């Protein structure tokens, strides 16, 4: 009987253990080692405690574009296992998922415990041995051994040998160190998915206000991101800000999160298009005070903030607005500038850009290119997605691919 070890009892580790057992035609002895007392900790807290399982996006090419790092590799991995397969897997195991307006998918119960209970029940049913509060202190590999090439030593001074090893530890510097010692390259980790803290602006007094589709970028040449934008007590959050933090994770790290950012509050509309929009309002509502008539996407208090900062009196009527004032208003709507000084936190996600180099992994099998019996799944790899269920989908996909290869190769 082949002995298989999985280090990490999170999403990718537990799913890998289940899938290996489900795929295997021959019985394998599967162990999952989790250092904490409770497995699936990130599943428990993700999505505000509801667990954002995946995203309702079924085109592998478009889906892969949601990953700032890993797009090329996942493009083909999603041909093997994608959100449609995730939905079907959970349905077969008694968990129905629902899709929300923004495409995120959750269990219909709105409880992450539904996902956890499902996993724990299936692991138990398949007799996969989940060992919690079991810390791996070191990993040794001996290619000369015909059986048990991997020796795992534990904090309780015990040890075990295994034929295959799956690394599913997420962002873990100690584990990355072990893998470097075995010859793998590790892309230095930096934070991803965080909010943007700003300074020298009173816009934070409008905390709680949001716009449905803003375009945000770092200056001078950052890649713009579009989505809902939320004003907070410290700066900006919401999908567009979080996407920016993911796509610019390394750029922001390199400048110590101190840079200028630019916001177009009306998304893809150009300054010229916004000017035209303002002229339309002027023509239709000439006798109306400017404060009382605005683009519908802009909250009233934010509109008032724009008027204050362009020094346009709020009681002025649209008919009296000058060409220069229209230009000033179009400019602040399309090119508001703010000074970012730090990264905040995003409580629902803990994502790192960095990890085992993708070049060291065969994405058809998730095997190490250096050690054929070694596999990597989930966020331990230099792969990360934007918010919306994409990081969990990476976990399900890579775990399934690894499991499929391990199961076929089982003794």
């Amino acid at each position: 009987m082949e002995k298989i070890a999985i280090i990490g009892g999170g999403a990718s580790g537990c799913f890998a253990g289940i899938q290996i057992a489900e795929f295997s035609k021959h019985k394998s002895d599967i162990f999952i080692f989790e250092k904490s007392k409770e497995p699936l900790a990130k599943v428990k807290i993700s999505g505000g405690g509801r667990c954002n399982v995946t995203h309702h996006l079924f085109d592998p090419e478009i889906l892969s574009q949601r990953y700032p790092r890993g797009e090329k590799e996942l493009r083909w991995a999603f041909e093997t296992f994608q959100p449609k397969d995730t939905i079907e897997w959970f349905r077969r195991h008694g968990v129905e998922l629902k899709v929300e307006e923004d495409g995120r998918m959750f269990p219909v119960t709105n409880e992450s415990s539904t996902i956890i209970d499902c996993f724990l029940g299936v692991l138990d049913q398949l007799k996969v041995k989940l060992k919690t509060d079991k810390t791996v202190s070191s990993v040794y590999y001996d290619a000369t051994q015909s059986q048990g090439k991997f020796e795992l030593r534990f904090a309780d001074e015990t040890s075990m040998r295994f034929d295959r090893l799956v690394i599913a530890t997420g962002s873990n510097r100690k584990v990355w160190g072990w893998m470097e010692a075995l010859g793998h390259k590790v892309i230095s980790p930096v934070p991803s998915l965080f909010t943007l803290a700003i300074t020298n602006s009173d816009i934070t007094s409008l905390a709680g206000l949001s716009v449905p589709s803003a375009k945000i970028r770092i200056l001078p040449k950052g890649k713009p991101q579009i989505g809902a934008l939320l004003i907070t007590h410290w700066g900006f959050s919401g999908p567009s800000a979080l996407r920016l933090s993911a796509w610019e994770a390394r750029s922001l790290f390199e400048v110590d999160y101190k840079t200028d950012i630019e916001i177009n509050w009306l998304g893809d509309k150009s300054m010229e298009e916004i000017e035209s929009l303002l002229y339309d309002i002027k023509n239709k509502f000439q006798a109306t005070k400017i404060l009382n008539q605005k683009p519908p996407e802009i909250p009233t208090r934010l509109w008032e903030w724009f008027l204050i900062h362009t020094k346009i009196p709020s009681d002025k009527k649209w008919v009296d607005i000058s060409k220069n004032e229209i230009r000033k208003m179009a400019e602040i709507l399309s090119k508001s500038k703010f000074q970012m000084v730090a990264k905040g936190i995003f409580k629902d996600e803990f994502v790192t850009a960095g990890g085992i180099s993708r070049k060291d992994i065969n994405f058809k099998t998730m095997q190490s290119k250096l050690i054929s019996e070694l596999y990597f799944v989930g966020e331990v790899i230099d792969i990360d997605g934007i918010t919306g269920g994409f990081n969990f989908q990476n976990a399900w996909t890579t775990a399934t691919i690894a499991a499929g290869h391990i199961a076929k190769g089982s003794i």
Side-chain angles (χ1 to χ4, degrees), residues 330-394:
E331 187 168 358
I332 197 171
L333 282 167
S334 63
K335 297 179 180 178
S336 290
K337 291 180 176 57
F338 301 92
Q339 188 180 352
M340 181 180 173
V341 290
K343 66 178 178 65
I345 59 168
F346 179 45
K347 64 182 179 180
D348 289 343
E349 298 278 355
F350 301 92
V351 177
T352 298
I356 303 297
S357 172
R358 299 187 300 277
K359 293 179 180 179
D360 285 350
I361 300 169
N362 178 352
F363 276 79
K364 292 181 179 179
T365 62
M366 302 315 299
Q367 284 173 293
S368 160
K369 291 180 179 178
L370 285 70
I371 301 172
S372 62
E373 301 88 356
L374 178 62
Y375 299 77
F376 300 104
V377 297
E379 290 179 28
V380 72
I381 308 166
D382 181 30
I383 289 179
D384 61 287
I386 62 173
T387 182
F390 299 105
N391 287 296
F392 274 140
Q393 186 57 52
N394 168 48

Side-chain angles (χ1 to χ4, degrees), residues 66-258:
R66 302 301 185 265
Y67 296 82
R69 284 147 291 273
E71 175 183 346
K72 178 183 174 184
E73 292 81 4
L74 291 177
R75 166 64 184 86
W76 300 106
F78 288 141
E79 296 286 351
T80 300
F81 195 89
Q82 58 132 298
K84 195 179 290 185
D85 303 300
T86 301
I87 296 164
E88 174 58 21
W89 188 92
F90 278 104
R91 188 196 64 75
R92 288 201 320 269
H93 292 81
V95 177
E96 294 294 332
L97 303 181
K98 62 176 181 176
V99 58
E100 300 201 339
E101 191 175 339
D102 60 3
R104 293 182 301 160
M105 298 196 72
F106 298 87
V108 294
T109 60
N110 275 331
E111 294 287 343
S112 58
S113 58
T114 302
I115 305 300
I116 294 171
D117 292 344
C118 170
F119 280 179
L120 296 181
V122 177
L123 285 167
D124 185 60
Q125 177 187 339
L126 295 171
K127 296 182 169 51
V128 176
K129 302 172 181 66
L130 175 59
K131 303 292 184 181
T132 56
D133 203 15
K134 188 76 169 175
T135 302
V136 178
S137 57
S138 57
V139 172
Y140 295 92
Y141 173 71
D142 185 351
T144 64
Q145 292 280 343
S146 58
Q147 292 285 308
K149 292 183 179 181
F150 296 96
E151 182 185 3
L152 271 57
R153 296 181 184 176
F154 303 96
D156 60 8
E157 298 185 350
T158 59
S159 67
M160 295 178 70
R161 301 196 76 89
F162 295 91
D163 301 296
R164 296 178 191 259
L165 175 61
V166 180
I167 305 294
T169 48
S171 302
N172 188 311
R173 290 180 184 275
K174 183 169 75 171
V175 174
W176 283 329
W178 298 340
M179 295 305 105
E180 281 185 312
L182 291 175
H184 299 87
K185 181 179 179 181
V186 174
I187 307 301
S188 64
V190 299
S192 181
L193 287 185
F194 47 82
T195 58
L196 316 177
I198 63 171
T199 189
N200 298 330
S201 177
D202 59 354
I203 199 167
T204 54
S205 65
L206 305 179
L209 295 184
S210 65
V211 295
S213 182
K215 181 163 70 174
I216 182 169
R217 67 182 183 120
I218 63 173
L219 295 173
K221 294 181 180 179
K223 181 177 181 179
Q225 301 299 320
I226 297 179
L229 182 69
L230 172 68
I231 301 170
T232 70
H233 290 292
W234 59 88
F236 301 108
S237 186
S240 60
L242 294 167
R243 287 172 191 162
L244 181 82
S245 76
W247 285 101
E248 302 286 4
R250 294 209 172 273
S251 300
L252 289 170
F253 177 80
E254 286 166 5
V255 296
D256 194 26
Y257 307 101
K258 294 174 177 61

Side-chain angles (χ1 to χ4, degrees), residues 311-343:
K311 297 182 170 59
I312 300 174
S314 60
D315 59 352
K316 196 170 187 175
K317 292 183 178 179
W318 271 104
V319 70
D320 298 320
I321 296 296
S322 69
K323 182 178 180 179
N324 185 49
E325 287 172 325
I326 291 274
R327 172 56 64 95
K328 286 165 65 177
M329 182 60 70
E331 187 168 358
I332 197 171
L333 282 167
S334 63
K335 297 179 180 178
S336 290
K337 291 180 176 57
F338 301 92
Q339 188 180 352
M340 181 180 173
V341 290
K343 66 178 178 65

